[in-house]
Amino acid sequence: MPELPDVEGFRRTLERHAAGRSVRGVQVADRALLRNSTPQALGRAIGGRRLRRSERHGKWIVAPVGDVSLLFHFGMTGLFDWAEPGVERHRHDRLVLAFSGGELRYRNMRRFGGVWVVRDEGERRSVTGPLGPDANAVRRDDLERLIAERRGGVKAALMDQRLIAGLGNLLVDEILWRARVHPRADLRRLSRAKRDALYEALRQTLRTSIRRGRVPPARGWLTGVRDEPGARCPRCGAGLRKATVAGRTACWCPRCQRARP
DNA sequence: TTGCATGTTCCGGA
DNA sequence: GTCCGGAACATGCA
């Protein structure tokens, strides 16, 4: 699930239940997901220390505890689950942090992503790599500048975390569909009107998705129909098209989104 | 059994 | 140097 809206939901789970509380125990069920540390070192670093306010940048969560920060990435199948003591664990819970009153469980079926321990901003950067501004903090003039400095296809650009952090496959398709821009459209040939539409679609799509904690598969959304066989455009009824663009399955409406390179 | 999945990284080639 | 497509990573499901 995890794109920016999902990860923001995970961050809220962390804040609501665990922020300000002390770590009472650490259990590592899958050492491979603890990417740059060991269960012993993690326990020494955060055991008994208080979890402070966490931040999200793109699809990353940064959780400061004691003298270190935990970095969480959720890959394609990760999530946070808060559970009361004694509630049976899920088979894909890879890391569990126990607090008073409950446990934070880092679950991840496919084992992409993971958990890192970093001591400072430099280490954090070396783990996440260079990230553009968070997609939810991008302003109209930021987008204008980012587009001006980049060439190539619009979908590849929006998916690039170095340019804008947080957008994934579903979000980008949704944004392009709303803005009526073809996923392969050449960035340098996007009109001012299309760039405006892109920004508006970005804002609206993110606003609603963050509120819902996911890209909602709702009526009137591309995400609501894209996986149905014979899916049709919720706006005009044309049959939706699918193809690989920028390495991912893109879904678009051939009637609404015409701008071809 | 095969193909596909909401993510990232690495490689070769244009 | 940029950008793109493809493969790899790991696991489950239709």
Side-chain angles (χ1 to χ4, degrees):
Chain A
M1 301 173 147
E3 297 184 60
L4 187 157
D6 311 82
V7 178
E8 178 58 21
F10 305 155
R11 193 192 65 80
R12 289 195 296 247
T13 295
L14 201 55
E15 291 302 305
R16 188 176 335 121
H17 296 291
R21 294 189 173 185
S22 294
V23 177
R24 291 198 167 173
V26 178
Q27 286 159 54
V28 181
D30 185 350
R31 297 175 70 117
L33 272 282
L34 186 55
R35 299 291 183 181
N36 69 345
S37 187
T38 63
Q40 294 73 25
L42 176 64
R44 280 197 302 273
I46 70 171
R49 312 302 296 271
R50 192 182 302 273
L51 177 75
R52 300 194 299 283
R53 179 170 298 280
S54 299
E55 291 176 9
R56 180 193 54 73
H57 190 142
K59 301 169 191 172
W60 290 87
I61 285 178
V62 184
V65 193
D67 297 329
V68 302
S69 284
L70 302 184
L71 254 50
F72 293 93
H73 197 284
F74 299 87
M76 290 175 87
T77 55
L79 56 82
F80 275 159
D81 182 38
W82 178 261
E84 303 294 313
V87 176
E88 192 182 352
R89 299 235 174 103
H90 189 280
R91 59 189 294 218
H92 297 132
D93 288 341
R94 311 290 182 179
L95 179 78
V96 176
L97 301 182
F99 297 86
S100 57
E103 297 182 341
L104 180 78
R105 298 169 177 181
Y106 171 79
R107 188 170 303 160
N108 195 331
M109 177 184 77
R110 273 169 74 187
R111 304 170 81 214
F112 293 165
V115 183
W116 288 257
V117 182
V118 298
R119 309 197 65 87
D120 55 43
E121 192 57 32
E123 285 186 12
R124 172 184 163 178
R125 227 187 106 88
S126 75
V127 170
T128 66
L131 295 174
D134 185 79
N136 197 39
V138 165
R139 293 168 306 158
R140 179 64 184 86
D141 56 325
D142 293 328
L143 184 67
E144 195 66 16
R145 178 173 45 79
L146 294 169
I147 286 179
E149 291 169 355
R150 169 95 179 198
R151 43 199 173 83
V154 65
K155 173 156 184 170
L158 293 177
M159 299 258 303
D160 188 341
Q161 304 298 299
R162 297 169 302 182
L163 204 70
I164 298 175
L167 304 181
N169 196 39
L170 292 188
L171 270 175
V172 168
D173 280 359
E174 192 69 48
I175 290 165
L176 291 170
W177 175 73
R178 289 199 188 194
R180 302 175 188 250
V181 173
H182 193 286
R184 278 198 264 257
D186 184 343
L187 271 184
R188 299 192 152 174
R189 298 176 60 186
L190 283 181
S191 67
R192 173 79 200 201
K194 289 292 187 192
R195 304 199 300 273
D196 285 341
L198 214 48
Y199 184 72
E200 275 315 302
L202 173 80
R203 294 295 331 141
Q204 294 297 322
T205 306
L206 273 181
R207 193 162 64 99
T208 308
S209 298
I210 287 173
R211 215 156 38 203
R212 305 279 292 273
R214 63 190 296 197
V215 189
R219 257 208 330 272
W221 287 59
L222 183 70
T223 305
V225 299
R226 62 177 294 158
D227 292 329
E228 294 172 0
R232 300 198 156 272
C233 174
R235 201 162 39 206
C236 78
L240 293 176
R241 198 73 54 88
K242 281 191 179 179
T244 298
V245 179
R248 312 305 306 257
T249 300
C251 177
W252 73 94
C253 171
R255 192 187 293 168
C256 295
Q257 295 163 264
R258 291 197 181 217
R260 289 301 306 273

